[in-house]
Amino acid sequence: MRIEQATIKDIAQELNISISTVSRALKDYPRISSNTKKKVKEVAERLNYRPNAVALSLRKSRSFTIGVIIPDVVHFFFSTVISGIEEVASSRGYNVILTQTNERFEREKSNINTMLGNQIDGFMISFSKETKDFEHFTKLLDRNYPIVFFDRVPDIENAVNVVVDDYQGAYDATTHLISQGYKKIIHLAGPKNLKICFERERGYRDALSAHGITIDESLILECPLGVPEESKKIVYDLFQELEIKPDAVFANNDMVAVGAMMACRELGFQIPKDIGIVGFSNWQICSILEPSLTSVYQPGFDIGVKATEILLDLIENKTSIDQIASPIVLKTELMIRNSSKRLF
Amino acid sequence: MRIEQATIKDIAQELNISISTVSRALKDYPRISSNTKKKVKEVAERLNYRPNAVALSLRKSRSFTIGVIIPDVVHFFFSTVISGIEEVASSRGYNVILTQTNERFEREKSNINTMLGNQIDGFMISFSKETKDFEHFTKLLDRNYPIVFFDRVPDIENAVNVVVDDYQGAYDATTHLISQGYKKIIHLAGPKNLKICFERERGYRDALSAHGITIDESLILECPLGVPEESKKIVYDLFQELEIKPDAVFANNDMVAVGAMMACRELGFQIPKDIGIVGFSNWQICSILEPSLTSVYQPGFDIGVKATEILLDLIENKTSIDQIASPIVLKTELMIRNSSKRLF
DNA sequence: CAAAATAATGCAAACGTTTGAATAGCCCTA
DNA sequence: TAGGGCTATTCAAACGTTTGCATTATTTTG
């Protein structure tokens, strides 16, 4: 039914030589006469020969494939990371197997297992929101299996982590709001078990303190789902409740910031005149919104690139875990737009 | 260095039986005594045995892996499709290898080639904007290689195509604008060699004709890049130029629609009062924009699901190409929002 | 011209499985 | 007690490569 791919054997048969000669001819071994090489390559070309990567994998116990495990493909940030991963991997001759966990712990474990069966050369992981236990990672790390974590990284020894400077990004964002004259700044936080969220909150807190503003815990609100509807309601309710209204929002991500914008609009507040808003991630939408949304740019593509480069270097033994200063922290950049520009 | 995975051989050695017995015991062959089965499974468990998928692939000439080739991961629509693909594939025990072409013809070809080497069981392809020649597809199809095309599909015999009803979506969108009293409707088109764009334009044209509006070719403008900046300029220039201003825009995608919105805003037109705008794709941003953007919903996830189901059925010989009524057309849905609601 | 040196090729094992065919026990029967 | 019929197990080939070692063919050397 399905037509067979030509193999090295077919070439050998056709030329009446041994398969080892063919193999060597194709790889330009010096010991093979240039005449044979020429003939072999001709036939290979003619039969449209492609080496069977599976056989190669088996022989070499290397698959030239890396496994990527992320919570959700449909997420601007992650898709930019994937793009970076794919770029580096393919340029260095590696394939990328992709699975998403949909934020489920069980799927994370089972995905890792099937990939292990597939003789993956290494993993790139950003773990799920449900993941609190890291044993499935440590078991692999103990066996010297190459893993690079990115964005959502675990707090375990010997893990190579590539992250964005969430703390500094949040610090800069908050400082920017303060410098624009905003004083009572809400923080819409994420789940604290995610380090990234924790760090963003810490940046917010430190920025306030550094500018002599006392931290009001009631202004720190958790938005666990991270969707606009949720944060809209939270902000709306808070404003109804408080007598002295806040004058700014620093949101843990752009979607949450958008919800805050919606709430403000419905409450009749002007952005940025009455309320300043800053998001996090710098999605495409930021520049499209009205007013455009100030946000902290996370270099997703670069994270993918950097993390993959390290992983491949580990796989190819060009470096070792103890030579890597983990975490690798990539710079964020505050993209100032209209939602927070009160002074000119 | 790296610790070895246990193999069937290790189990055999430990129990002093042959590897074939182990293999059969693990698969519950009836001829194996339940005693041996029990012992084998125990040892397998203890050694944390996982079958080597690579060896299996080689033996069976099947890799249980499908290759996905898309232009760009960082694209809301494609990422939803991927999500659907991943979902079905993983539930049916398949891996997904992902590559992007970045809209390059050469990368499309080379990606296909490396995947072929990896003994991929089948392909899911949405081709690049540069692709005009389909020989690299037909060569595979002639060899009975399972391929399912989605979204950007080629016009070749025997291809299985899964698409969205672009024509109907565009027709509905245009009809909606007409029903809201808009008369002079611009169409911001995409590159015509992409069937989807052609179909959208056709839907636009037919809707106008069906409502007795003569088509004004000067109102059909191509936006090849499909980014807001481009369409903004195009719309802005057109409005400057024309004496009798258009009163609506039907854009070939949401980003292009956003550009049109920006242009209108700068020109001082009110949306939807002066100008109605409809986009295509129904990205997340649509409901967030101010005014919210009417758009044609494309079921990306469902496309991924449907396309993958067909591909796997083809791979597993549960169906054959001539049993499939290609193209499979999935319904779109017009999501009416404020950008086009002039009547109440 | 025999032996040594060199060049070119071939053999066979290995990677981890599956699987058709062969074999080893064992009990039963005539 | 030879053979038949089971059951449980083993052998060995195959999937497509790579690669250390052996072999053959060719040339050089004394």
Side-chain angles (χ1 to χ4, degrees), chain B residues 253-270:
Chain B
N253 80 53
D254 287 336
M255 276 299 135
V256 169
V258 164
M261 281 177 90
M262 289 170 153
C264 292
R265 205 179 283 142
E266 281 198 16
L267 289 159
F269 292 110
Q270 299 260 5

Side-chain angles (χ1 to χ4, degrees), chain A residues 97-159:
Chain A
I97 301 202
L98 180 78
T99 57
Q100 52 187 346
T101 59
N102 292 323
E103 307 281 7
R104 297 260 99 93
F105 179 58
E106 281 310 320
R107 275 197 67 177
E108 189 169 289
K109 285 203 292 185
S110 78
N111 287 350
I112 288 182
N113 269 330
T114 54
M115 285 199 181
L116 280 177
N118 275 74
Q119 307 302 106
I120 288 288
D121 291 342
F123 280 109
M124 315 221 53
I125 301 178
S126 187
F127 60 74
S128 87
K129 281 187 187 164
E130 276 185 13
T131 304
K132 315 230 146 114
D133 169 16
F134 300 144
E135 207 200 319
H136 54 314
F137 300 148
T138 51
K139 259 199 298 198
L140 293 175
L141 289 170
D142 290 347
R143 285 173 45 205
N144 247 315
Y145 213 94
I147 307 181
V148 173
F149 297 93
F150 61 95
D151 193 51
R152 310 249 199 99
V153 301
D155 213 347
I156 44 184
E157 233 191 333
N158 277 329

Side-chain angles (χ1 to χ4, degrees), chain B residues 8 20 23-24 27 49 59:
Chain B
I8 228 176
S20 11
S23 171
R24 289 185 168 116
K27 325 205 94 77
Y49 168 77
R59 181 74 231 273

Side-chain angles (χ1 to χ4, degrees), chain B residues 126-137:
Chain B
S126 187
F127 60 73
S128 87
K129 281 188 187 164
E130 277 185 14
T131 304
K132 318 236 142 110
D133 168 17
F134 299 145
E135 207 199 320
H136 55 314
F137 300 148

Side-chain angles (χ1 to χ4, degrees), chain A residues 146 148 310-317 319-321 324, chain B residues 2:
Chain A
V148 173
I310 294 175
L311 182 68
L312 298 188
D313 285 350
L314 281 172
I315 290 172
E316 294 169 358
N317 280 317
T319 184
S320 72
I321 286 205
I324 298 169
Chain B
R2 217 154 286 159

